[in-house]
Amino acid sequence: MIKSVEKSKYLLPAIFCLLFVCVLDYFTPLDVAIGILYTSIILIALRETKKTILLLTIIATLLIIINFVYFNAIATFSHWVFPVNRLISIIGLWVTTTVALNYKSLQEKLLKERIEYTETLEEVIFVTSHRVRNPVANIVKIVEIMGDDHISVKNLKEMIPFLGKSAEELDTVIKDMTGD
């Protein structure tokens, strides 16, 4: 729910910008390359989905073309600058969109890698806390008992195999973790 609210908060400003640039474009003569301002819509909508960015780009492209067709038809004279300005606007818009979509793809890839890294890290922490902790706790306890002044030599000799077994368990766990 929170993600959809976050994403949608950029759509309204992008639509507002689209309308503002459209109105500005209609009140600007065709020989002024104001249409390139449509690229700002893509930058505002960068946090939206790829579909939304493409939809805004298509709408902006259509508005650029409609503006050219309408005003070129009512213009008192035709000039080569009119179509060139419109073409530059459309190319700039689609280049910006391509860069934005590539950026979003890279962001998604990095997020996926971060999630995989976090899962791996959690697994290592789990292994460390469960599989390593048991043999280490055994070794610590055996050494603690061995350090007691009242323990007999016979009891010390009986503990050595347990100490060895715990050390082997620890060695196995470490080999499993490092892939040796």
Side-chain angles (χ1 to χ4, degrees), residues 92-106:
L93 178 64
W94 281 96
V95 166
T96 303
T97 301
T98 303
V99 170
L101 294 177
N102 286 339
Y103 172 77
K104 289 198 67 65
S105 293
L106 182 62

Side-chain angles (χ1 to χ4, degrees), residues 35-101:
I36 200 72
L37 290 178
Y38 284 101
T39 59
S40 61
I41 297 152
I42 305 310
L43 299 176
I44 292 171
L46 195 56
R47 292 193 182 238
E48 292 294 326
T49 64
K50 290 179 181 181
K51 271 185 176 177
T52 303
I53 291 173
L54 274 174
L55 181 64
L56 287 169
T57 303
I58 291 168
I59 292 169
T61 302
L62 290 173
L63 289 172
I64 292 169
I65 292 170
I66 290 169
N67 175 279
F68 171 71
V69 170
Y70 177 75
F71 284 104
N72 196 40
I74 64 170
T76 56
F77 68 100
S78 187
H79 196 271
W80 63 270
V81 174
F82 300 170
V84 170
N85 281 344
R86 297 295 121 182
L87 186 61
I88 289 171
S89 298
I90 292 171
I91 291 171
L93 178 64
W94 281 96
V95 166
T96 303
T97 301
T98 303
V99 170
L101 294 177

